[in-house]
Amino acid sequence: MKSCLIVDDSKVIRMVAKKILHELGFNTEEAEDGQVAYDLCKKNLPDAVLLDWNMPVMSGIDFLRELRKLPGGDGPVVVFCTTENDIEHIQEAILAGANEYIMKPFDSEILQAKFTQVGLL
Amino acid sequence: MLRPDDFDYLAKLLKERSGLVITPDKAYLLESRLTPVARQRNLKSIEEVVAKMRGRDESLARDVTEAMTTNESFFFRDTKPFDQFRDTVLPQVMASRAAKKSIRIWSAACSSGQEAYSLAMLLKENAARLAGWHVEIIGTDISVEMLEKAKAGLYSQFEVQRGLPIQFLVKYFKKKDESWQIDSSLRGMVQFREWNLLHELRGLGSFDIVFCRNVLIYFDQPTKSRVLENISRQMPPDGFLFLGGAETVLGISDRFKPVPNQRGIYCLSAGAAPAAATAPVGAGR
């Protein structure tokens, strides 16, 4: 079973994503900001990360840059999931090493389509 | 609840005009899709819509047909056919057209254009291989409204997130208010034309590659055969036809046969009629 780390400061979003990902056959872990996510990744790298952009303590983009520097940090497939929906943010995310990008609001269909695109399903 | 005679009237009209088969178990589709048409025309119910159509209201009959035949579409739908197009079919067609350096591709029943534009993006990605080639992509549909959307190339945030890789969104789209518009260079690669698959197709000319996916599923057996026969006449002997995952030619038409090891792709059977001559641009309706 593949694992996905859900990183979002909204408990509701984490809950919705968790439900969809369980239905898609993933084990999930949760983090409420980039720093918590980074600490979890240092211990154990997940197969995938569903990542919000704007969070307290450490943002999604800063987390991604740090993740990619970790040994084996290029492994996890990172899918941004954020309300930032302009080209500049998307380009910045790709440059930092994001594999896909979901613009909120999202639903199970979009999440499934994106995870399929990046070979997670 | 629709009266049986109104249901029969609508089912007959839709079959004649578009080939669409509506069985009584799909009556709910009439309710859900025609209620907005009724509202738009200040009619109180679908019964009133039918009554007006019985009075030979051509524009209403057209709106009803459009509303019923509009189907969802998304970029790179099913993924695999596009990989097969890029990796298998396109190289084969290029090899056999090396002297002519010209390829015509048809997205039949193209709806709002996502399939045609997906092909255009793949061709752009392979621009180096295609340098010096003339490639035409034609999208046809029965719905004027869908064709207008396709020509505008304007899609919602939801539409660009189903199947379109994010790198392609960044590369080939521009944000326009809350929507995303496909690049003008890609829009320039595709021609959209109004055409009914049940009508004479000769005016469209000959196509080396035809995508007619998830269309036949809406037709009954004789209509499927007729459409496949019509399409076969628009293809050269070495052309390729892509059908949807749930569609086949087996038991429906002997004009096509499956391409070995390429699920969903068909070529003409030996002895199928040669393609019609390419019509001048602008022919047909």
Side-chain angles (χ1 to χ4, degrees):
Chain A
M1 200 179 244
K2 285 186 175 161
S3 58
C4 182
L5 175 60
I6 304 163
V7 191
D8 202 304
D9 57 340
S10 157
K11 201 176 172 183
V12 175
I13 296 281
R14 293 203 305 271
M15 217 167 67
V16 171
K18 184 175 158 181
K19 186 171 180 291
I20 298 170
L21 287 164
H22 281 179
E23 280 166 10
L24 295 175
F26 281 84
N27 270 329
T28 57
E29 261 196 292
E30 294 175 42
E32 66 270 28
D33 65 58
Q35 186 61 54
V36 175
Y38 183 68
D39 293 340
L40 284 169
C41 286
K42 275 198 291 190
K43 286 185 215 147
N44 196 12
L45 285 169
D47 296 306
V49 181
L50 188 69
L51 183 62
D52 187 19
W53 193 295
N54 297 306
M55 291 176 290
V57 189
M58 187 193 275
S59 70
I61 194 79
D62 289 339
F63 158 78
L64 176 57
R65 290 189 182 113
E66 293 307 313
L67 169 73
R68 294 307 191 208
K69 286 183 209 158
L70 283 175
D74 55 349
V77 173
V78 175
V79 178
F80 257 105
C81 185
T82 169
T83 49
E84 301 294 351
N85 62 3
D86 54 279
I87 288 273
E88 292 73 24
H89 275 90
I90 301 172
Q91 276 170 332
E92 194 182 347
I94 294 171
L95 208 64
N99 300 85
E100 258 301 339
Y101 199 102
I102 294 171
M103 295 173 272
K104 286 175 183 168
F106 69 101
D107 60 8
S108 60
E109 203 179 313
I110 288 175
L111 195 63
Q112 191 170 354
K114 291 287 183 184
F115 272 48
T116 304
Q117 262 167 253
V118 290
L120 286 166
L121 290 170
Chain B
M1 186 76 182
L2 208 54
R3 287 201 328 248
D5 63 319
D6 283 347
F7 173 85
D8 292 344
Y9 178 85
L10 284 168
K12 186 166 176 279
L13 175 121
L14 290 164
K15 173 83 197 312
E16 279 169 5
R17 287 185 170 239
S18 68
L20 181 71
V21 177
I22 295 279
T23 46
D25 60 316
K26 294 273 161 46
Y28 68 91
L29 273 178
L30 292 170
E31 303 270 354
S32 64
R33 293 202 174 187
L34 299 187
T35 302
V37 176
R39 206 172 296 137
Q40 212 169 31
R41 292 187 171 243
N42 292 322
L43 299 170
K44 287 192 190 75
S45 63
I46 297 169
E47 283 71 24
E48 277 195 27
V49 171
V50 177
K52 218 158 181 304
M53 283 165 70
R54 287 184 198 271
R56 298 192 186 281
D57 186 328
E58 175 54 32
S59 94
L60 181 57
R62 202 184 166 89
D63 283 0
V64 163
T65 310
E66 283 211 15
M68 291 306 299
T69 53
T70 297
N71 290 298
E72 66 163 17
S73 173
F74 41 98
F75 292 101
F76 296 99
R77 183 173 185 176
D78 302 330
T79 318
K80 193 154 182 248
F82 296 93
D83 294 342
Q84 291 170 305
F85 167 77
R86 183 195 55 213
D87 301 335
T88 307
V89 170
L90 188 61
Q92 274 196 50
V93 172
M94 284 177 75
S96 59
R97 309 285 186 276
K100 208 169 75 169
K101 285 192 179 295
S102 167
I103 299 173
R104 295 188 86 227
I105 303 167
W106 179 19
S107 171
C110 66
S111 188
S112 38
Q114 286 94 324
E115 180 177 74
Y117 286 132
S118 298
L119 293 167
M121 282 184 257
L122 282 188
L123 294 175
K124 270 266 189 190
E125 291 291 304
N126 287 275
R129 268 209 282 168
L130 286 159
W133 284 75
H134 177 67
V135 185
E136 263 186 276
I137 305 171
I138 315 283
T140 65
D141 202 89
I142 192 173
S143 164
V144 178
E145 194 187 332
M146 283 297 111
L147 288 167
E148 287 307 316
K149 181 175 158 77
K151 282 179 199 167
L154 208 55
Y155 299 97
S156 70
Q157 186 163 292
F158 180 70
E159 287 170 312
V160 297
Q161 298 210 81
R162 295 164 84 207
L164 185 70
I166 197 68
Q167 289 83 356
F168 282 10
L169 181 76
V170 170
K171 206 165 167 183
Y172 297 121
F173 287 76
K174 281 195 175 68
K175 193 141 189 259
K176 202 172 173 184
D177 302 322
E178 286 311 301
S179 303
W180 293 82
Q181 186 166 41
I182 199 151
D183 195 73
S184 58
S185 70
L186 279 159
R187 273 182 281 146
M189 289 172 70
V190 186
Q191 280 182 54
F192 290 103
R193 297 167 74 174
E194 183 195 352
W195 216 287
N196 185 333
L197 284 178
L198 302 187
H199 292 170
E200 176 58 58
L201 300 174
R202 261 184 297 192
L204 286 171
S206 170
F207 294 97
D208 305 295
I209 304 167
V210 179
F211 282 77
C212 185
R213 302 190 307 135
N214 308 305
V215 180
L216 296 179
I217 41 172
Y218 297 101
F219 298 152
D220 62 10
Q221 196 89 345
T223 310
K224 284 179 189 176
S225 303
R226 191 172 138 203
V227 169
L228 285 170
E229 165 125 12
N230 284 351
I231 291 173
S232 75
R233 292 188 192 285
Q234 301 311 120
M235 291 171 65
D238 57 352
F240 291 96
L241 168 69
F242 285 74
L243 294 180
E247 296 165 330
T248 181
V249 300
L250 301 172
I252 298 165
S253 169
D254 56 8
R255 304 188 73 87
F256 289 96
K257 60 179 183 187
V259 174
N261 305 317
Q262 295 294 332
R263 199 181 147 83
I265 308 182
Y266 300 84
C267 58
L268 287 175
S269 308
T278 304
V281 172
R285 68 184 177 104

